[in-house]
Structure formats: C-alpha cells, structure tokens
Amino acid sequence: MKRSFSRRDFLAMSAKGVGAAVVSYGLMGCSSDDDTEVSQVSFLHGIASGDPSHSAIILWTRVTPQAEGEVKVAWEVATDEGFTDLVTNGETTTSAERDYTVKVDAIGLAAGSRYYYRFSSGEVVTETGVTRTLPQGAVESVKLAVMSCANFPAGHFNAYELAAGQDELDAVLHLGDYIYEYGRGEYASENAAELGREVLPEGELFTLSDYRTRYGQYRGDASLQKLHAKVPFITVWDDHEIANDAWSDGAENHNEGEGEFVDRKTGALQAYFEWLPIRPWREGNHEEIYRSFSFGDLVDLHMLDTRVVGRDKPLDYADYIDPATQAMDSEKFTLDVTSTERSMLGAEQLQWLQGSLLTATGKWQLIGQQVLMGKMSLPAAIAMQKLSIAEYAELGAIAQLAARAEAGDPSLTASEYSFLIGNQHKLTPEAMALLQMPNVPYNLDAWDGYAYEREVILATAKSKGVNLVVAAGDTHNAWANELTDAAGDTVGVEFATSSVSSPGLEYYVGIPQEQQEATEAGVTQMVDGLKYTNLRDRGFMVLTFTSEQVRSDWHFVDTILSTEFSENRDKAYSAVTQIGVPQIVAAD
C-alpha cells in the first residue's frame, strides 16, 4: 500500500537538515501512450540513490539519447524485486539543460525500510536498484561504508567493487574527491594509458561541459555503478570536484589566464548536483550541502562542507621560512594558524553545527567531512618535504652519535663510532638547521591550518558530553586519532579512510616498500594521539555503531592495476571506541 504523505512530512523535508523536494509523484496509472520526443535512449551510467530520510530518498539516473531533445523517463519504487507491491511511481522529463540526468525525490516511504527501484524510457528499462530509508526509534546497529578520493587514471576502482560485497550497509558516506579535475598525463597518471583509463576530456576541467564529461566517464565505471545500485550514498565534495586545494574564492591550481574562478566553481558544483544523488536545500542552490541525518536513537550524522562556503585560503609555510637561513618564524606562524579570524566552515555553518551537536539526541554524534581533524604534527623538515622520513631519521641518528662523541660518552661502541666517522660529513649547517626546526602540522589544508574553529567544535562537544566520532578522507591514507582540545582533554575520536585509488603519503614523501612498516610505526610514535595509520594501501573503511561501541574496520585491496584483485587481509585492521570513553583501542 502507498503510505499517505502529509503536509507535516513535506514541511519536515523542507528543513535544512533534509532538503527540498526535487521531482516527485504519487502512484500513477499505467499509460500506453509514449509521446517522448526522443524515444531511442540508453542508460549507460547506471542508477543510484542517496540522501535518505525517514520518509523519502533521492533516486538518480541518466539517459543517453540518440538525438537531442526532451526525454520522458518513468520511475517505480516497490517493496519487492518483482515490483508487484508498487509503493510509488511517476514520470518526469530531462533534456540537455540538465545533461540528461534525472533526479527524483521519492516521498511517502516508510522509515527503516528496504525498497527496490528502477527507471524506464519507452521500452528501455534500467537494472533494479536497492535502497533504504533511515530508521526511527530504537536502533540496534548502524553500518556505514566510508570512501573518498577516486582518481580514474591512477587505477581501477577495486575498492568500490569490494565495498559492493559488504552485507547490510545502511549507507555509503563519500567524503569527497569523487572525481579529479586534472588533465591527461598529470597527477597519478603513470599507468593510465596501459590500463585504458586516460581521462576525458583530455585537458584540465574548467567549464560546465568539462565537468559533465568527466562525471560521465567516472559513472561509466562498472564497479562504481554496482555500489551505487546496491546502497544509498550520502556525499559531500572536497577540493578536486572543483580544483586542487580549493577555498571559497580560489584554488592552488587555478592560474592566471584560466578564467574567473567563480565561473569554474559554479560549473563544477552544478555538474556535481546533476550527477550525484544529493538533495538540494532548494532547487537551483548548488553551493550549500551541509546537512544532518538521523539513524533513530543511535546515530546523528552531520555532513560538513569544509571547502566552498567558508574556507579561507590555506597558509603556506614558504611565507614563514627565511630563504637564506632556512629558519622558521614560529611565533608569526603560531599567531596566524590560531587566529580567530581564520575560517574553515564559515560563521553560519559553524553555528549550525554547534546547534546540531547541542540539540541532537542520538547516542553517537558522527561528523562526516573531508579533512583530518586530529592534530598531525611532524618535524618541519618532513612536513615541508625538505627531507624524507628516512633521511630525517638517518640525520637524526648521526647527530645523536655526534653529540654523544662530543660529550665523551663511554658507552659509544666501535661500530657506532665507525658509522659516525663515515657519515658525519652529512651534518652540514643546512642539515643541522633542518633538524632544529620545530614540529609543525604536516598539512595546513587540513584542520591543523584552521585551529580556532576546530577548538570551537571540540569545546561544543565537550560542553554537552556527546560521544563524538569524526570521519575523514582526503589524505589517501588510513588513520585513527584521538581528538584532544587545547587543554589536553580527549574529546572524541577520528577514523579516516584510505583512498579508492589515489596514492598516499608514500607517494609524496617517498617510502620504499621495505620501510613501510617501520615508517608507520615511527609516525605513530611521533604524533600524539595517533593510534593507527596505513600509509600505502588503497581501500575503504566500515563504521559499525551499536549502543556500546563504534568499530572501524579498514579494508584494503592488493592491487588497483588489474581488475583481478583480492582483499589484502594481511593489512586489515580494526579499532573500537566504547560509549562514554573517547579512547581508541585495537579490536580483537
């Protein structure tokens, strides 16, 4: 039976936490008349669902017509795979104006229920998708897959394929970098030609048409289509949906001669809303995406935008280093990075998040966002990529031996002395200056570069005593952090996912495979509050919430250079946090 849809339901859906209706209809009678102007179509980009509420869900597809014109598309939602128990259906039209994408807000659904859906145009019918609405009331568990950073030319989307094999997922949280904007031969494209994964269009993305073409290529990937058809997505963008290290009015790789950044951003965000199953606050609003989801009494999920609406330009270490002496102006850097004027979220979004944390009633408060919130300080020479981790460790060991020798340490062994004699030439004045630089945040594009607003969030969570969990992406590596405030109190925990295909820290700072485990152990020891990291492998994580604990399971694939792959179980890792105890421990 079709559940009645009340005015109260509509008003609730129109609130910022849920969004505005896109296109929706009730049950319609079957029609034999087909006056679609373009009747020969294909569904080459699959189907998807997203932004579930307690009574509605966004359904998505795209038609590829043989000729330009308006296309009529029908859709159906049922409780069974055979569509004998039809709950709601309808028809809509699409055209080149929205790149032939179709987005429907299927309303009047029952809470906590599984549904089947499909689209059709003329005689052409899509595959059947599976989706589900959010639960209400008492909930025993919530299971969420967390993904980010899928770079098409870097390799196959095996992480999506592996995630599609997970059972009983309530949703996929995609934390950004759903696409990348680079042209052919740029970032992580070394194997693209061999793999048949060179990007379209060939050049860097600047226009609405460019971004649409790139989304079309990504959405043609069979593994991504499989995951979309199986489980609803809840998404936010990061920088590469627009341009690298983007902020509200610029980006690291938006250069002179490339047009106005606002035009690039406007086209990029329009394409995002066309191609992702995300519910807008209101039709035509392509910039505001922060919103909340309630999984009964167990989890309140708050999805943030740390890129577009409020972010200031990231700081640059080059502005604090004397090029002649390599000395760092630490005092000025500290004043700037902790300034109350620096913004990641913007005043309106920050106020919304504070209000959400203070009024939400779920046992767990989960923040889904893009960049690491945990404090990640490393020696400045490493953070600024002036030395690799291995080089820094070697120079540090030589300097320690030199200091012991100068002090006349009688415990200095013959082999240590021999090593010192053979390597002390490396202790140049420049090298010593690098060793003496302070520990600094390794990534100023993350929350470490916006310390004030991070402190406001942690103080808000601390004042209410909420059980705070932060999910992050962006770095392409897996992390488990305990979140501490300025007073040194542990307020929450952070679990960060590896990437789908983008290379991680091992790519940027150079970690030979044989040094991987030692490097991970060294980084974990260097960073206060860091309990786990994987710096080399591609994959995703699954967060499982119960009333007693949240568990994070990291899943990795053994290769992205072939579609023949397996889960790398030797690298799998699990961590848990108990309710009321913001402490991360390894799971059994």
Side-chain angles (χ1 to χ4, degrees):
M1 291 180 62
K2 175 180 178 285
R3 193 176 80 86
S4 63
F5 183 71
S6 68
R7 179 175 180 274
R8 180 178 179 182
D9 291 328
F10 178 82
L11 293 175
M13 285 183 58
S14 298
K16 284 184 177 180
V18 179
V22 181
V23 175
S24 56
Y25 299 87
L27 283 171
M28 297 174 58
C30 296
S31 170
S32 59
D33 133 16
D34 182 4
D35 57 358
T36 307
E37 292 183 22
V38 182
S39 59
Q40 298 300 312
V41 303
S42 304
F43 292 95
L44 302 180
H45 298 95
I47 57 176
S49 66
D51 271 19
S53 72
H54 301 122
S55 60
I57 195 157
I58 295 291
L59 306 178
W60 180 96
T61 193
R62 182 182 187 270
V63 296
T64 303
Q66 289 187 2
E68 291 290 314
E70 192 173 81
V71 180
K72 185 179 292 184
V73 180
W75 53 274
E76 299 175 292
V77 179
T79 61
D80 65 308
E81 198 167 3
F83 289 85
T84 58
D85 183 18
L86 200 63
V87 176
T88 184
N89 67 353
E91 280 186 344
T92 187
T93 58
T94 188
S95 67
E97 184 180 358
R98 57 175 59 95
D99 202 19
Y100 291 101
T101 59
V102 177
K103 191 149 58 167
V104 171
D105 205 344
I107 62 178
L109 307 179
S113 299
R114 175 180 295 179
Y115 289 98
Y116 299 86
Y117 66 98
R118 64 189 179 190
F119 295 86
S120 62
S121 182
E123 299 299 317
V124 183
V125 183
T126 67
E127 65 178 307
T128 296
V130 183
T131 191
R132 62 178 64 203
T133 51
L134 298 184
Q136 285 182 313
V139 175
E140 290 185 2
S141 67
V142 171
K143 187 176 182 182
L144 306 169
V146 184
M147 330 279 297
S148 74
C149 304
N151 190 26
F152 192 87
H156 296 287
F157 291 163
N158 294 336
Y160 288 145
E161 185 78 21
L162 184 62
Q166 290 285 311
D167 294 326
E168 299 304 320
L169 289 176
D170 292 288
V172 168
L173 305 189
H174 201 294
L175 301 181
D177 293 348
Y178 187 94
I179 65 166
Y180 280 73
E181 83 285 8
Y182 296 115
R184 287 190 185 180
E186 297 187 53
Y187 172 66
S189 296
E190 295 86 350
N191 301 299
E194 180 184 351
L195 298 176
R197 293 178 74 86
E198 291 184 299
V199 293
L200 296 173
E202 293 187 19
E204 187 177 341
L205 309 183
F206 295 107
T207 68
L208 172 60
S209 177
D210 291 341
Y211 286 99
R212 284 172 165 175
T213 299
R214 187 66 56 84
Y215 276 106
Q217 182 179 39
Y218 272 63
R219 293 301 294 269
D221 185 272
S223 297
L224 179 54
Q225 287 189 14
K226 181 185 292 188
L227 184 58
H228 266 303
K230 182 176 179 180
V231 61
F233 273 50
I234 299 174
T235 69
V236 286
W237 50 54
D238 198 6
D239 53 337
H240 291 290
E241 285 87 349
I242 306 171
N244 183 54
D245 287 353
W247 63 93
S248 59
D249 57 3
E252 178 273 332
N253 65 335
H254 186 81
N255 304 308
E256 188 175 348
E258 294 179 342
E260 295 294 329
F261 179 75
V262 66
D263 295 332
R264 181 180 190 175
K265 180 175 75 171
T266 299
L269 301 189
Q270 179 179 333
Y272 182 90
F273 268 91
E274 289 172 344
W275 281 85
L276 273 293
I278 179 174
R279 179 184 288 109
W281 282 10
R282 58 185 178 275
E283 191 64 22
N285 183 340
H286 298 146
E287 287 202 5
E288 295 171 299
I289 60 168
Y290 56 92
R291 60 215 193 276
S292 292
F293 301 83
S294 173
F295 293 80
D297 66 349
L298 189 59
V299 179
D300 293 311
L301 167 63
H302 313 289
M303 299 292 280
L304 305 186
D305 172 12
T306 66
R307 281 293 168 192
V308 172
V309 294
R311 176 188 276 257
D312 291 328
K313 183 178 180 179
L315 299 176
D316 188 340
Y317 280 121
D319 296 331
Y320 303 92
I321 301 296
D322 185 325
T325 65
Q326 292 296 300
M328 182 177 180
D329 189 340
S330 301
E331 182 177 353
K332 184 176 188 302
F333 172 76
T334 300
L335 286 173
D336 288 349
V337 80
T338 59
S339 170
T340 59
E341 300 301 314
R342 283 194 61 71
S343 175
M344 171 85 86
L345 302 180
E348 183 177 334
Q349 184 180 191
L350 180 60
Q351 186 177 19
W352 166 84
L353 177 60
Q354 288 182 277
S356 298
L357 291 174
L358 293 173
T359 58
T361 57
K363 292 183 177 68
W364 297 95
Q365 298 300 301
L366 172 62
I367 296 178
Q369 50 88 63
Q370 298 82 345
V371 294
L372 284 180
M373 187 173 284
K375 298 172 183 176
M376 298 290 292
S377 291
L378 294 173
I382 296 174
M384 291 183 240
Q385 299 183 27
K386 295 181 178 295
L387 292 174
S388 70
I389 294 174
E391 289 169 338
Y392 184 87
E394 182 186 41
L395 283 174
I398 298 168
Q400 286 183 348
L401 290 175
R404 289 171 60 193
E406 186 177 353
D409 184 352
S411 66
L412 194 70
T413 66
S415 62
E416 288 175 331
Y417 185 75
S418 176
F419 176 80
L420 173 62
I421 295 300
N423 290 278
Q424 62 183 354
H425 65 281
K426 297 179 181 179
L427 295 179
T428 64
E430 293 79 9
M432 292 303 296
L434 291 174
L435 287 177
Q436 291 164 6
M437 293 174 75
N439 279 18
V440 297
Y442 100 88
N443 183 7
L444 294 177
D445 188 60
W447 281 97
D448 272 334
Y450 302 83
Y452 169 71
E453 284 191 350
R454 175 175 61 188
E455 199 64 27
V456 171
I457 294 170
L458 295 179
T460 303
K462 184 179 179 180
S463 71
K464 180 78 181 296
V466 302
N467 295 290
L468 179 67
V469 178
V470 175
D474 181 65
T475 67
H476 312 163
N477 297 122
W479 309 89
N481 276 307
E482 292 176 356
L483 300 174
T484 56
D485 62 10
D489 296 329
T490 304
V491 179
V493 299
E494 176 177 55
F495 298 118
T497 182
S498 182
S499 64
V500 173
S501 63
S502 296
L505 197 62
E506 81 287 351
Y507 181 87
Y508 301 108
V509 302
I511 305 174
Q513 186 169 2
E514 64 273 12
Q515 296 178 12
Q516 179 194 358
E517 290 187 10
T519 301
E520 290 170 350
V523 171
T524 304
Q525 291 173 358
M526 277 192 281
V527 178
D528 291 339
L530 180 63
K531 302 302 179 182
Y532 164 71
T533 187
N534 177 301
L535 300 179
R536 195 174 188 88
D537 297 291
R538 312 283 68 82
F540 65 99
M541 70 182 184
V542 174
L543 299 179
T544 305
F545 293 83
T546 67
S547 59
E548 292 81 27
Q549 68 177 30
V550 57
R551 173 179 174 129
S552 180
D553 293 284
W554 286 269
H555 300 266
F556 302 107
V557 297
D558 64 347
T559 185
I560 59 171
L561 299 181
S562 168
T563 54
E564 297 293 325
F565 75 96
S566 60
E567 182 173 0
N568 194 340
R569 296 187 181 276
D570 290 340
K571 291 295 184 70
Y573 189 84
S574 302
V576 297
T577 296
Q578 300 295 324
I579 192 102
V581 184
Q583 181 181 44
I584 296 172
V585 297
D588 295 332

